[in-house]
Amino acid sequence: MSKKLLIAGNWKLNGEKKDISFIKNLVKFNSIKLSKNVDILICPPFTMIDRFCQLTQRSQIQIGAQDCSEHDFGAYTGEVSANMLSDLNASYCIVGHSERRLYHNENNNLLNKKILNVQKNNIKAILCIGESLLDRRNSKTLRVLGNQLNGALKNNINPNLLEIAYEPIWAIGTGLVPDYSDIEEVHDYISNKLEKLYGKKSKKIRILYGGSVNSKNVFQILSIKNVGGALIGGASLKIRDMKSILKQFI
Ligand code: PEP
């Protein structure tokens, strides 16, 4: 089954009022170049989701969050719930980015709760998984990824509201990209694992690659078997780079 690619920008801790021009520019670009082959997603900080959702309402561009709480509401100072994201019309939520795992000690149990919460609110979860450089050097990559998938995807996760992003930690923001044959091996492994978990329904799940994707390498990476899109950090912050990435697929 051929799927639309998903090209997603993760803005991390970047984005202020002045950056609203980015989304206006992207909407204009999208109105000229309608995309049949690609779903376009931008995940700005929480503070910009509402405005971005309003500005993209009549376009094909979707807006998502970079994280959310595992709780619905209540005494959890500083948290933002999936219900709140749904109230703003966000359609995706990244869960388990390696920076959340590393700086906020997020483990697979917690991520499982977050995914369940996201899906309960009819939002698609993008579960990030990835190995460290040490894991790769010790040939533990597939074992680590398998554990991350088993841990985060238990308790009746809905495969229809799920995407996976394979992001080797050592490739994020470093300019390093795995050999393409290694990306293929990992995506093949994830695809088989999802098939075991969800049968035919797994075919709808896109497996994105993330880690130093830019306008020069994106086409080759997205041509690799079982790569269903890209999760892009640094290069998603500049409208020129984003357009040059998107133009290669629409
Ligand atoms: C990311 O933030 O998920 C990411 C892959 O970043 P970068 O593209 O900058 O490596």
Side-chain angles (χ1 to χ4, degrees):
M1 189 189 303
S2 76
K3 301 172 270 218
K4 260 181 162 185
L5 295 168
L6 172 59
I7 296 194
N10 171 17
W11 278 22
K12 311 192 188 194
L13 188 53
N14 299 288
E16 298 166 15
K17 268 194 212 158
K18 63 176 169 43
D19 300 309
I20 284 171
S21 61
F22 173 104
I23 208 75
K24 287 185 175 162
N25 203 322
L26 196 63
V27 168
K28 202 162 147 198
F29 168 79
N30 177 237
S31 70
I32 299 164
K33 288 194 171 291
L34 275 184
S35 127
K36 283 200 211 87
N37 314 319
V38 195
D39 286 329
I40 306 168
L41 170 68
I42 301 294
C43 300
F46 288 130
T47 49
M48 304 183 89
I49 290 178
D50 190 22
R51 190 85 176 100
F52 276 25
C53 281
Q54 287 173 27
L55 288 166
T56 52
Q57 238 172 25
R58 275 176 282 280
S59 78
Q60 296 178 312
I61 299 158
Q62 303 186 69
I63 302 301
Q66 301 168 20
D67 178 44
C68 75
S69 174
E70 74 271 31
H71 303 292
D72 287 327
F73 56 86
Y76 301 101
T77 303
E79 294 283 89
V80 173
S81 71
N83 175 47
M84 291 168 181
L85 296 175
S86 151
D87 191 39
L88 301 180
N89 293 323
S91 38
Y92 283 83
C93 182
I94 297 171
V95 177
H97 191 282
S98 62
E99 288 151 15
R100 300 289 317 171
R101 294 181 191 252
L102 185 66
Y103 305 132
H104 300 270
N105 293 321
E106 296 198 355
N107 61 32
N108 296 323
N109 272 339
L110 176 78
L111 300 178
N112 177 249
K113 285 187 198 153
K114 289 192 177 192
I115 299 174
L116 289 167
N117 235 344
V118 163
Q119 296 189 334
K120 190 171 78 184
N121 286 284
N122 214 21
I123 293 175
K124 280 194 165 186
I126 303 177
L127 170 67
C128 297
I129 57 173
E131 84 285 3
S132 68
L133 196 53
L134 195 64
D135 295 330
R136 178 156 284 276
R137 286 195 178 134
N138 292 332
S139 306
K140 285 191 184 155
T141 300
L142 300 185
R143 201 184 323 158
V144 167
L145 300 176
N147 288 340
Q148 290 174 341
L149 290 170
N150 287 337
L153 297 182
K154 58 193 178 191
N155 298 328
N156 289 327
I157 293 295
N158 179 357
N160 297 322
L161 289 174
L162 180 68
E163 320 278 12
I164 305 290
Y166 167 53
E167 299 207 304
I169 300 170
W170 51 275
I172 296 178
T174 57
L176 300 171
V177 175
D179 289 344
Y180 293 163
S181 58
D182 290 337
I183 297 181
E184 183 167 342
E185 184 197 21
V186 167
H187 279 245
D188 201 41
Y189 170 79
I190 298 171
S191 168
N192 287 332
K193 177 97 189 153
L194 294 173
E195 190 166 1
K196 276 190 203 128
L197 288 171
Y198 304 117
K200 269 192 201 154
K201 285 187 180 163
S202 69
K203 300 290 167 219
K204 287 190 187 158
I205 304 171
R206 287 175 286 200
I207 308 168
L208 316 183
Y209 168 79
S212 297
V213 173
N214 58 42
S215 57
K216 295 201 176 74
N217 61 21
V218 70
F219 192 80
Q220 271 192 296
I221 292 176
L222 268 56
S223 306
I224 299 170
K225 191 174 153 234
N226 287 321
V227 174
L231 182 55
I232 307 174
S236 75
L237 289 168
K238 293 201 189 100
I239 187 68
R240 218 173 55 178
D241 289 347
M242 238 354 224
K243 281 193 205 167
S244 124
I245 287 170
L246 291 169
K247 269 183 198 160
Q248 300 178 43
F249 302 97
I250 48 189

